Amino acid sequence: MAAKVRRELIRDVLLDLGEDPEREGLRRTPDRVSRALEFLTKGYDEDPAQVIGDALFTEEYSEMIIVRDIDFFSLCEHHLMPFHGKAHVAYVPDRHIVGISKLARLVECYARRLQVQERMTSQIAQTLLEVLSPAGVGVVIRAEHLCMRMRGVEKPNSSVVTSALLGCFQQRDTRQEFMNLIR
């Protein structure tokens, strides 16, 4: 279920920071933060298999299908700070293709949860494998983590790349074709 953050908790955080939650600029902040967290975690209210739904089509196409550069925003579960980037999602169909917008919706479904990038990458790949039964699935995600850029090690030019390669994407030639096409 999406966050239903009690406004009183946000007000208490403001007080703990030494702020006056009644001053003009902060008076409505607890409500705004609560609504923002509800939006940023709406993926908990979605069933990933239902995101794809009935957008499966029988097609005798057996070459790689890629949706590149799917923008996403998520929250790191360790610090509740944003990470954002691009996801590249590919599959080689075995009699069934999916409406391409559903691939972007699947990324969004998993991104709108408290996450770690590694899990998110695997979840997208596993869901496609289970729902489509393709010959293979490849997912590569490149993201910038504000928890690394703004705090902790403070490395502003760092990014994280994760991949999940299943089925025929574990074969060298298929993996290489995928990597070449997303560059």
Side-chain angles (χ1 to χ4, degrees):
M1 171 188 277
K4 302 292 182 204
V5 178
R6 294 191 321 266
R7 281 113 181 108
E8 305 81 42
L9 294 175
I10 305 304
R11 188 176 191 287
D12 289 347
V13 167
L14 293 172
L15 285 168
D16 287 348
L17 292 172
E19 276 290 353
D20 173 9
E22 293 305 317
R23 77 174 167 84
E24 183 181 12
L26 293 176
R27 201 169 299 136
R28 293 180 45 211
T29 296
D31 187 52
R32 286 190 293 263
V33 170
S34 180
R35 282 194 323 268
L37 285 172
E38 288 173 22
F39 175 77
L40 294 171
T41 60
K42 69 182 181 176
Y44 288 117
D45 291 333
E46 298 177 315
D47 176 353
Q50 291 301 315
V51 167
I52 293 173
D54 61 358
L56 296 176
F57 307 99
T58 303
E59 191 64 47
E60 294 302 318
Y61 186 82
S62 60
E63 299 297 322
M64 191 178 302
I65 298 169
I66 303 172
V67 178
R68 288 177 18 162
D69 300 323
I70 302 168
D71 289 316
F72 73 89
F73 298 88
S74 192
L75 288 175
C76 162
E77 70 180 34
H78 300 136
H79 303 101
L80 297 185
M81 293 187 76
F83 69 96
H84 63 94
K86 294 189 181 296
H88 312 287
V89 180
Y91 69 101
V92 174
D94 182 14
R95 293 185 309 279
H96 293 102
I97 61 171
V98 65
I100 57 175
S101 69
K102 301 300 185 176
L103 299 177
R105 290 183 193 278
L106 185 61
V107 170
E108 182 77 2
C109 173
Y110 283 117
R112 293 299 185 189
R113 300 173 180 202
L114 300 182
Q115 274 293 8
V116 295
Q117 182 176 331
E118 298 86 344
R119 181 186 325 116
M120 184 175 128
T121 305
S122 294
Q123 287 173 324
I124 294 165
Q126 275 302 134
T127 299
L128 280 176
L129 191 67
E130 292 166 12
V131 173
L132 284 179
S133 299
V137 174
V139 176
V140 171
I141 296 179
R142 176 183 296 274
E144 300 172 359
H145 293 251
L146 294 186
C147 58
M148 277 189 63
R149 288 179 165 227
M150 294 176 61
R151 57 157 304 282
V153 296
E154 295 183 73
K155 298 301 177 204
N157 294 314
S158 62
S159 63
V160 176
V161 179
T162 52
S163 67
L165 305 170
L166 306 174
C168 68
F169 280 78
Q170 293 177 335
Q171 298 168 3
R172 191 173 69 76
D173 290 345
T174 307
R175 178 176 53 246
Q176 192 60 50
E177 178 184 355
F178 176 47
M179 296 302 177
N180 288 341
L181 289 170
I182 65 171
R183 282 195 187 110

